Amino acid sequence: MDISRSLSKRISFFSLLFLPLFYAAHAEFNIATIPFNKGYYPLFGDNNVVRSSDDKSVNLVLNQYTGSGFKSSDLYNHGFFSAKIKLPSDYTAGIVVAFYTSNGDIFEKTHDELDFEFLGNIRGKRWRFQTNVYGNGSTSRGREERYYLWFDPSKEFHRYSILWTNNNIIFYIDEVPIREIVRSEAMGGDFPSKPMSLYATIWDASNWATSGGKYKVNYKYSPFVAKFTDLALHGCAVDPIQEVLSTSCSQKDDQLESADYASISPKQRSAMKKFRQKYMYYSYCYDIIRYPIAPPECVIDPVERRQFKDTGRLDFSVRRHRHDKSKGQVSRMRTYEDQDED
């Protein structure tokens, strides 16, 4: 049997096991969406930013000439940024699709940023992605986490969302929270605090994206297309300079913090914990070589901690043992795959 096909089937089997867990977490959010021209404009590679006739969807294309991207027309002081995304299919090694907020074009040395970054894929492998949090230019104190997806994001659309309030940050996939950062005084300026724009991009990151740059973009498979639809922007649009002195967004902040996606229900929290235990393979909170003392926002989960080496990466020697023969084969397959992608 073809190895990649066998591996893909096994991954699909594991995904089916966990689907009820994740999608029982919460009903679909009630989100108002907007057409592209009401909230966004092309950022680069204009000819590769392809809008639908009804302007409710947009494709970002990477070919041998250029990538592409779009950006929100306004900056927002806190917000809920969301889109349904379908990633490129087939061989996509070396390609990064990013959905993120940033103000780096205005505050070059003290920028804030919140990221989803999808890190390219090789047929038969599980898709990997990372989330990042930077505040006040704290790139030397990056707060990266890396995970596997429990589904193939190139097969159908899934909603990816970033909630950013004065008190917390939550990353969602569909209605499942996968990461929460609660603001604390000890974080100081490392908690993003300045107005940010929403960005979406596709680009060639062959030098680092897939297995540390081992696998490059192969333009034989181009064009690579990332599809976006059901775009949502909820927050207070501001002037970034005036906002430093203004508190006019307090009403919008109150509305944002009272929305259904602004708090995590017990079911959602349980789903988030299980996601992190099963699919997170790097966390800065457990990287004691980089951070001998965990950053103040880290909540150390003893169960999670036992799974990680001092580098913050999974410790395969403590992976869950399988006792029957068929499950043992799947366990060995997954361990080999994880090691191969480090």
Side-chain angles (χ1 to χ4, degrees):
M1 179 182 290
D2 179 79
I3 293 175
S4 65
R5 188 189 311 167
S6 174
L7 182 55
S8 179
K9 287 181 178 178
R10 287 170 177 170
I11 294 167
S12 297
F13 171 74
F14 273 92
S15 300
L16 288 173
L17 286 179
F18 301 123
L19 277 175
L21 163 71
F22 293 130
Y23 290 109
H26 202 280
E28 187 170 344
F29 293 140
N30 181 20
I31 301 172
T33 61
I34 59 173
F36 185 86
N37 68 341
K38 294 296 184 182
Y40 312 88
Y41 66 92
L43 178 65
F44 69 100
D46 290 19
N47 290 337
N48 284 1
V49 179
V50 183
R51 293 153 63 174
S52 63
S53 58
D54 62 6
D55 216 31
K56 293 181 179 179
S57 302
V58 60
N59 292 348
L60 295 183
V61 179
L62 168 68
N63 56 27
Q64 63 267 41
Y65 304 108
T66 184
S68 55
F70 64 83
K71 178 182 178 182
S72 64
S73 304
D74 294 309
L75 290 98
Y76 293 84
N77 186 62
H78 307 133
F80 183 74
F81 311 92
S82 184
K84 288 185 176 179
I85 305 172
K86 185 177 179 182
L87 296 180
S89 59
D90 210 352
Y91 182 92
T92 57
I95 296 168
V96 167
V97 175
F99 184 75
Y100 65 104
T101 64
S102 178
N103 49 33
D105 55 340
I106 298 172
F107 304 100
E108 294 183 6
K109 295 183 179 180
T110 60
H111 89 285
D112 306 296
E113 190 169 321
L114 302 170
D115 299 324
F116 270 108
E117 290 182 313
F118 302 93
L119 304 176
N121 194 47
I122 304 166
R123 278 191 303 265
K125 298 281 191 177
R126 291 178 292 170
W127 272 85
R128 300 173 304 127
F129 72 103
Q130 67 183 20
T131 60
N132 295 326
V133 176
Y134 301 116
N136 203 35
S138 60
T139 52
S140 63
R141 298 185 300 281
R143 291 165 159 83
E144 305 94 335
E145 291 186 345
R146 288 193 174 193
Y147 330 80
Y148 295 105
L149 284 167
W150 66 93
F151 54 84
D152 184 342
S154 69
K155 297 296 186 186
E156 57 187 12
F157 284 94
H158 288 267
R159 181 170 289 284
Y160 302 89
S161 307
I162 301 170
L163 171 73
W164 169 46
T165 76
N166 189 52
N167 301 311
N168 67 338
I169 296 161
I170 304 174
F171 292 87
Y172 284 99
I173 297 180
D174 294 319
E175 285 67 50
V176 180
I178 63 163
R179 181 180 183 183
E180 180 183 30
I181 300 96
V182 178
R183 186 174 194 167
S184 69
E185 288 187 14
M187 285 188 73
D190 284 5
F191 190 91
S193 59
K194 298 182 292 296
M196 292 190 278
S197 299
L198 183 281
Y199 295 79
T201 58
I202 183 170
W203 51 290
D204 185 331
S206 289
N207 61 328
W208 68 271
T210 307
S211 298
K214 180 179 179 182
Y215 300 100
K216 314 293 186 183
V217 175
N218 187 339
Y219 285 101
K220 178 179 73 174
Y221 298 98
S222 68
F224 304 100
V225 181
K227 300 180 179 182
F228 296 76
T229 192
D230 289 354
L231 302 163
L233 287 172
H234 297 283
C236 185
V238 298
D239 180 302
I241 306 302
Q242 292 180 352
E243 181 60 22
V244 174
L245 304 174
S246 172
T247 58
S248 62
C249 284
S250 58
Q251 184 177 356
K252 287 280 190 179
D253 279 354
D254 290 344
Q255 293 173 358
L256 189 67
E257 293 176 16
S258 64
D260 56 355
Y261 45 71
S263 60
I264 300 176
S265 71
K267 281 187 177 181
Q268 286 176 302
R269 195 163 294 281
S270 176
M272 179 169 67
K273 183 174 182 178
K274 289 181 171 64
F275 166 82
R276 294 173 67 79
Q277 289 177 358
K278 293 180 183 297
Y279 294 105
M280 183 169 68
Y281 70 89
Y282 172 80
S283 172
Y284 73 101
C285 287
Y286 302 121
D287 190 343
I288 64 175
I289 294 177
R290 186 179 181 188
Y291 298 112
I293 299 175
E297 74 280 1
C298 289
V299 177
I300 304 301
D301 183 315
V303 176
E304 285 183 8
R305 179 67 188 94
R306 288 195 296 270
Q307 297 182 89
F308 291 89
K309 300 177 183 179
D310 291 349
T311 59
R313 288 186 169 271
L314 282 177
D315 185 347
F316 298 103
S317 67
V318 297
R319 298 286 282 187
R320 186 178 292 106
H321 293 291
R322 307 295 188 184
H323 296 292
D324 74 63
K325 185 176 179 181
S326 62
K327 289 182 180 177
Q329 290 172 339
V330 174
S331 179
R332 287 194 297 275
M333 173 275 294
R334 294 178 72 192
T335 298
Y336 174 80
E337 178 189 6
D338 290 345
Q339 289 173 324
D340 184 54
E341 294 191 354
D342 278 352

